[in-house]
Amino acid sequence: MVRYLLIRLLRAFITITLVVTFAFIVLRVSGDPAISIMGDNASPEAMAAFRKEWGLDQSIFIQYFNYVTAIFQGDFGHSMRGGGPALDLVVSRIPATVMLTLPALLLKVAIGVPAGIYAALHHDKSLDRTVMVTAVAGYTVPSFVLGLLLVQIFALWMPLLPTGGTGELSHLILPVLTLGIGGAAILARFVRSAMLEVLGQPYIRTANAKGIPWGAVVRAHALPNAAIPTVTIIGFMVGSLIAGSVVTESVFSWPGVGNLLVVSVTARDLSVVQCILLLVAATMVLSNMFVDILYGILDPRLSNANSEGR
Amino acid sequence: MNTFTLTRRKLLASGAAGGMIAMIGPRFAAAQDAERHTLRVGMSGFPPAIDPVLYTHTATRRLAPQIFDTLVAYDQTPAMNLRPGLAERWERTDDRSVKLFLRQGVTFHDGGAFTAEDVTFSLSPQHLLGPDMAGKATAMETLETIDSVEVIDPHTVIVRAKGSDALLEKRLASWGAEIVSKAAFDAAGSWDAWNTAPIGTGPYRIVSQTLDQEVTLISHDAYWRGLPPPYAGIEFRIIPETASRMNALAAGEVDIITDIAPDMFPQIENHPDLEVAGGPVANIRALVIDTTDPILGKVGVRRALSLAIDRKALVQALWGDRLTIPNGYQLSSFGDAYIEDFPQPAYDPELARQLLAEAGYAGETITYKLLNNYYPNQVSGAQVMVEMWKAVGLNVELQMMENFGQIQTSPVHAIYDSSNTATIPDPLGFPWRIFGPSGQNVRLGLWRNEEYFALGEKLKVTVDVESRRSIIRRMLEIVDREDPPVVILHGSGQFYGKRKDVAWVAGQTLDLDFGPFNAASVQN
């Protein structure tokens, strides 16, 4: 198990390093922050002073070396727009994002899992088809379309909720619904597929033939075995708690990490973008590690296989 | 003819009336204060800094007139006349000096008195050059000619330029010339601290700012113009998404929104409570040409690119005829420096074909590096123009880019969109700033014209109006047809959506003015 964890940690480190390096290079070759932040009316002297101040006049190798060295000292750079430490800025936005994504995750699970199970148990019946048509619709409608549609209905036609912004509980409802509906649809489809696969297994037939009540068969044999793919997809959703709401935050002017990422990419606020990407990569990697550990608990065969190095 | 005779009865009556006014006056002011509400503005971006000497960013310019005053100001009418600001009046003492008589009794937001010392500091390198005096400050674009500020007495100063400067008064009304409190700047101790809440004399003072979310201002009731500012305060809410800004306006969550796209005009105009505000501003949209490209180096090809464009059709189709087509790279607000009889860019496909033939153009590809609607209607406009060019035999290919950094990477070898603002309503504050030796086209190595440069240097030290006009006409000819560095498209506009019951008139620049000098307040 220790060896397994060490390998996972090494892989996580390599993944994060690759993400950070890739982001570092792409951000620097794809646009000049001096133009984005100073505006295209700024004088050449002003632009040159800006580049010097932020070390952008040095070679990319020196910039990268300085960046990596600083990270190991806990310095993630400073925001070119706000001037403050990039990490402080990013961390200050996490509560707002989690305030949105956590209820949305609960909503996804609360709707998606029962809907998927229900559809699987009523396979090929009209209820199954209704759930799946709804799920496909929820899955295929882009979140910005869904968000604007909800605003149109609940803020403009029926002025019950605000169109965006933050401050009160009412500001949360539409963005949480936007995030939750799409995610619930994805989850419902996965849970249904997993359940259908399990329900077709010989051990379910055997349990059924033994005369065990159908409800008990589902609870004791089907659900635990269908949990692996479900946990995988929920793991991804947990991983994207930090940066999974970029579009929704933009549509609702929600001051979270996603919104900060969009503004920072547009402005080429390099340190902030890199800090967010590092954080997102770390969250994703950690959640995947957690999911792997959960696999072992849900299905000890997987844990044993990993321990044996297979 | 009526004659006025003062009788004892009239005197008593006037005394009584005076007493009534004295009693009612404060109540009237209090009632007016109670009627004032907070204006909510949905803005597309957050200002990188509040002090305008640091950035020429649009969001910074939108805040500046609320917080700061200049010594002399533009009246924001199409003529862009100068009006008194913190200087009650001014007079020329010679070609390079202006004597300004400062308004007395003006207080800064922190209650400090405005004096000549604040003028000296605001226009000094210590303030204009920004943090560490690193030359970062963009104010120097308009104020670089200022040599010194001499204090005659606490309310009189003489501003001197380095040489003859016909634009000195206009410079004092332009970007970066905002007056700040020296005492408050010193007390702040650092630029970072200063930028959290800079202190000016403007009609509103800053209360708070939250990065990417809001900037909140409150009325500076001691504002020097007499009556309190029209609003109790202003909330600038940052709503980057255009559709979300529109929704916030339609839902009544904000009173005014900035940066509306032309395709939103009908939606706003069909709403009973809303209207479109704004119009042309001191800005020209053009296509920058890399004249070092073998094909684009040919003047005939460059002129053909211009002659093939039916600008009237373009402005009609994409902007509902709300934009103007300038006559040369100039604006009517240039006053004496405006050459009224200079022709608009012609639409002449026949001449375009002829010039292409003479230039030996054989259908080689011309690259048009394009951003995805960085400017409103940019992509639609480009697609229309490509067809217009095709009609005269020009083979222009669109190449999508993500940002200006990518477009301007050397070698450019292409045409690309630009939008430039007149920082001073004069050729020296507009075409010279772009096409002069320090201008973007030259700096990027896309264009040079020695005659143009020599004319510009001459213009800088020429004060006589007729001599200036002669130089300017020649400079316009070079840019327009002799050696074009750009293809002029049309004037730019700034359009806003607003509630009909909000009395506010947009100005001629990017600046927003919600103070008592706004045309709507002046009319009232």
Side-chain angles (χ1 to χ4, degrees):
Chain A
M1 190 66 183
V2 174
R3 184 170 171 267
Y4 169 69
L5 273 176
L6 283 174
I7 290 170
R8 295 295 304 179
L9 278 172
L10 183 65
R11 280 184 191 165
F13 178 75
I14 292 170
T15 306
I16 291 171
T17 307
L18 284 174
V19 168
V20 166
T21 308
F22 186 71
F24 186 91
I25 294 167
V26 167
L27 282 169
R28 274 158 183 77
V29 299
S30 65
D32 184 355
I35 298 174
S36 305
I37 291 177
M38 302 289 289
D40 48 3
N41 278 311
S43 66
E45 294 77 18
M47 296 267 198
F50 181 90
R51 291 189 191 106
K52 190 176 177 197
E53 183 184 346
W54 292 99
L56 300 170
D57 55 344
Q58 295 174 322
S59 79
I60 195 163
F61 300 106
I62 292 174
Q63 287 182 53
Y64 184 70
F65 177 77
N66 292 339
Y67 171 63
V68 173
T69 311
I71 283 183
F72 281 109
Q73 292 167 355
D75 177 6
F76 290 80
H78 284 68
S79 165
M80 292 173 178
R81 296 186 308 131
L87 184 64
D88 290 359
L89 179 59
V90 175
V91 169
S92 74
R93 299 296 184 90
I94 292 175
T97 291
V98 174
M99 198 186 289
L100 206 65
T101 50
L102 203 58
L105 178 66
L106 296 177
L107 190 68
K108 290 171 196 174
V109 175
I111 298 174
V113 173
I117 294 170
Y118 188 80
L121 294 176
H122 297 81
H123 183 48
D124 267 351
K125 293 185 181 154
S126 58
L127 279 171
D128 175 30
R129 291 196 187 101
T130 308
V131 169
M132 279 306 102
V133 166
T134 313
V136 169
Y139 173 66
T140 50
V141 174
S143 54
F144 74 91
V145 174
L146 183 62
L148 291 175
L149 190 69
L150 290 174
V151 166
Q152 190 68 38
I153 296 169
F154 296 107
L156 297 177
W157 290 346
M158 291 184 281
L160 301 171
L161 296 166
T163 62
T166 179
E168 292 168 21
L169 201 61
S170 58
H171 287 100
L172 264 173
I173 298 174
L174 291 184
V176 166
L177 277 178
T178 305
L179 279 173
I181 291 172
I186 295 171
L187 203 52
R189 292 179 68 242
F190 268 91
V191 171
R192 176 181 176 271
S193 302
M195 277 294 285
L196 283 178
E197 196 183 326
V198 170
L199 290 173
Q201 294 297 318
Y203 56 82
I204 297 289
R205 251 197 329 274
T206 308
N208 226 351
K210 281 181 174 175
I212 300 172
W214 178 236
V217 173
V218 170
R219 273 196 305 277
H221 298 284
L223 286 178
N225 286 299
I228 295 279
T230 308
V231 163
T232 307
I233 193 72
I234 293 176
F236 274 116
M237 288 175 173
V238 170
S240 58
L241 276 180
I242 300 295
S245 56
V246 173
V247 175
T248 308
E249 286 186 13
S250 295
V251 168
F252 291 97
S253 306
W254 187 264
V257 177
N259 205 338
L260 180 65
L261 181 63
V262 172
V263 176
S264 303
V265 167
T266 309
R268 285 287 181 281
D269 196 348
L270 305 180
S271 299
V272 177
V273 177
Q274 284 159 192
C275 190
I276 293 175
L277 293 180
L278 183 63
L279 191 72
V280 170
T283 315
M284 198 59 94
V285 166
L286 278 176
S287 75
N288 275 314
M289 276 182 66
F290 182 68
V291 165
D292 282 353
I293 293 166
L294 259 185
Y295 281 171
I297 296 167
L298 289 169
D299 188 347
R301 288 172 300 177
L302 292 173
S303 183
N304 293 337
N306 286 322
S307 305
E308 288 160 18
R310 277 185 277 159
Chain B
M1 189 178 172
N2 292 327
T3 54
F4 178 76
T5 48
L6 187 65
T7 63
R8 193 171 52 179
R9 183 171 293 176
K10 280 182 181 171
L11 189 65
L12 284 170
S14 62
M20 288 289 282
I21 290 168
M23 284 190 297
I24 294 169
R27 287 187 193 175
F28 175 74
Q32 193 192 32
D33 196 50
E35 281 170 16
R36 289 192 304 164
H37 66 275
T38 297
L39 184 74
R40 301 157 305 169
V41 182
M43 199 158 73
S44 54
F46 187 82
I50 304 289
D51 190 328
V53 299
L54 296 179
Y55 294 97
T56 52
H57 200 280
T58 305
T60 298
R61 291 308 319 165
R62 285 175 172 159
L63 286 169
Q66 332 312 328
I67 301 168
F68 306 101
D69 284 306
T70 45
L71 296 170
V72 182
Y74 294 111
D75 64 3
Q76 292 291 333
T77 62
M80 290 289 272
N81 297 312
L82 293 176
R83 65 163 174 83
L86 288 176
E88 278 180 320
R89 60 194 172 88
W90 59 93
E91 60 189 33
R92 273 271 170 177
T93 50
D94 56 49
D95 279 0
R96 51 175 289 232
S97 310
V98 176
K99 189 175 192 178
L100 298 114
F101 302 89
L102 307 182
R103 208 173 281 279
Q104 300 195 26
V106 175
T107 55
F108 283 103
H109 299 151
D110 60 357
F114 159 67
T115 67
E117 199 186 358
D118 300 302
V119 176
T120 312
F121 170 73
S122 299
L123 300 178
S124 70
Q126 190 191 350
H127 177 238
L128 294 179
L129 286 179
D132 304 324
M133 298 178 70
K136 173 181 171 180
T138 50
M140 297 311 283
E141 275 187 51
T142 49
L143 301 173
E144 64 170 350
T145 65
I146 290 180
D147 182 48
S148 63
V149 179
E150 182 188 346
V151 177
I152 306 298
D153 63 50
H155 294 99
T156 313
V157 294
I158 294 179
V159 177
R160 287 202 174 83
K162 290 168 186 161
S164 296
D165 190 350
L167 304 180
L168 194 49
E169 296 89 337
K170 288 186 174 180
R171 292 184 194 283
L172 296 176
S174 297
W175 292 8
E178 286 80 5
I179 302 300
V180 299
S181 163
K182 179 183 187 304
F185 185 91
D186 289 342
S190 71
W191 273 94
D192 284 343
W194 169 249
N195 262 321
T196 58
I199 302 290
T201 58
Y204 301 93
R205 67 182 166 83
I206 188 163
V207 176
S208 66
Q209 53 169 320
T210 311
L211 185 67
D212 299 333
Q213 290 180 56
E214 54 81 34
V215 179
T216 303
L217 311 180
I218 195 166
S219 167
H220 175 41
D221 286 345
Y223 190 54
W224 53 267
R225 197 165 181 258
L227 287 174
Y231 299 100
I234 307 175
E235 280 176 27
F236 289 93
R237 297 183 190 171
I238 311 306
I239 310 175
E241 280 299 313
T242 313
S244 305
R245 276 199 306 282
M246 181 62 229
N247 286 336
L249 180 69
E253 292 169 10
V254 293
D255 304 305
I256 295 179
I257 56 169
T258 66
D259 305 291
I260 59 167
D263 59 4
M264 292 159 69
F265 293 171
Q267 192 186 348
I268 293 174
E269 283 164 345
N270 290 334
H271 194 292
D273 301 326
L274 306 178
E275 62 186 359
V276 174
V281 292
N283 182 298
I284 287 179
R285 279 272 285 107
L287 296 172
V288 176
I289 307 169
D290 179 2
T291 62
T292 64
D293 178 77
I295 305 300
L296 294 168
K298 295 173 181 173
V299 173
V301 173
R302 279 183 263 160
R303 288 194 62 201
L305 280 166
S306 177
L307 289 162
I309 300 172
D310 184 350
R311 293 169 178 79
K312 282 185 182 158
L314 198 71
V315 169
Q316 169 69 46
L318 297 179
W319 293 93
D321 244 354
R322 287 174 187 261
L323 298 181
T324 54
I325 298 164
N327 50 335
Y329 211 101
Q330 59 169 351
L331 299 166
S332 58
S333 57
F334 285 5
D336 290 338
Y338 175 57
I339 311 298
E340 304 86 351
D341 60 352
F342 199 82
Q344 282 185 331
Y347 170 52
D348 191 342
E350 268 314 305
L351 182 56
R353 287 189 196 99
Q354 184 191 322
L355 288 171
L356 287 176
E358 287 170 7
Y361 176 73
E364 295 93 335
T365 301
I366 295 172
T367 305
Y368 181 171
K369 293 185 176 175
L370 186 66
L371 297 177
N372 187 13
N373 286 332
Y374 178 83
Y375 303 118
N377 273 335
Q378 191 176 2
V379 174
S380 318
Q383 288 166 339
V384 170
M385 285 189 290
V386 165
E387 292 306 312
M388 289 176 176
W389 287 322
K390 199 172 169 184
V392 299
L394 280 162
N395 173 23
V396 180
E397 194 175 276
L398 298 180
Q399 194 177 94
M400 295 309 291
M401 295 271 155
E402 198 202 337
N403 52 53
F404 276 107
Q406 289 180 354
I407 288 177
Q408 293 169 352
T409 301
S410 187
V412 175
H413 286 188
I415 55 175
Y416 66 87
D417 285 281
S418 73
S419 168
N420 283 299
T421 300
T423 50
I424 303 173
D426 186 273
L428 290 178
F430 196 27
W432 177 250
R433 198 169 59 83
I434 298 148
F435 309 129
S438 307
Q440 198 181 64
N441 291 47
V442 179
R443 184 166 36 94
L444 293 171
L446 308 179
W447 183 80
R448 288 191 71 82
N449 187 297
E450 299 306 329
E451 186 191 354
Y452 190 87
F453 297 164
L455 287 164
E457 292 300 337
K458 198 173 164 191
L459 183 65
K460 279 163 78 172
V461 293
T462 304
V463 178
D464 175 64
V465 171
E466 282 313 312
S467 305
R468 292 192 92 229
R469 285 176 66 83
S470 160
I471 296 169
I472 292 164
R473 183 182 293 278
R474 179 68 194 134
M475 292 173 85
L476 283 174
E477 285 168 359
I478 292 172
V479 169
D480 189 62
R481 48 186 173 268
E482 255 179 48
D483 186 10
V486 294
V487 174
I488 295 170
L489 298 179
H490 49 71
S492 291
Q494 282 289 317
F495 295 99
Y496 311 89
K498 76 175 202 49
R499 298 187 59 80
K500 284 179 180 168
D501 55 7
V502 172
W504 175 75
V505 177
Q508 306 296 311
T509 61
L510 301 173
D511 295 16
L512 302 181
D513 181 4
F514 298 114
F517 282 105
N518 184 266
S521 301
V522 171
Q523 283 160 15
N524 293 334

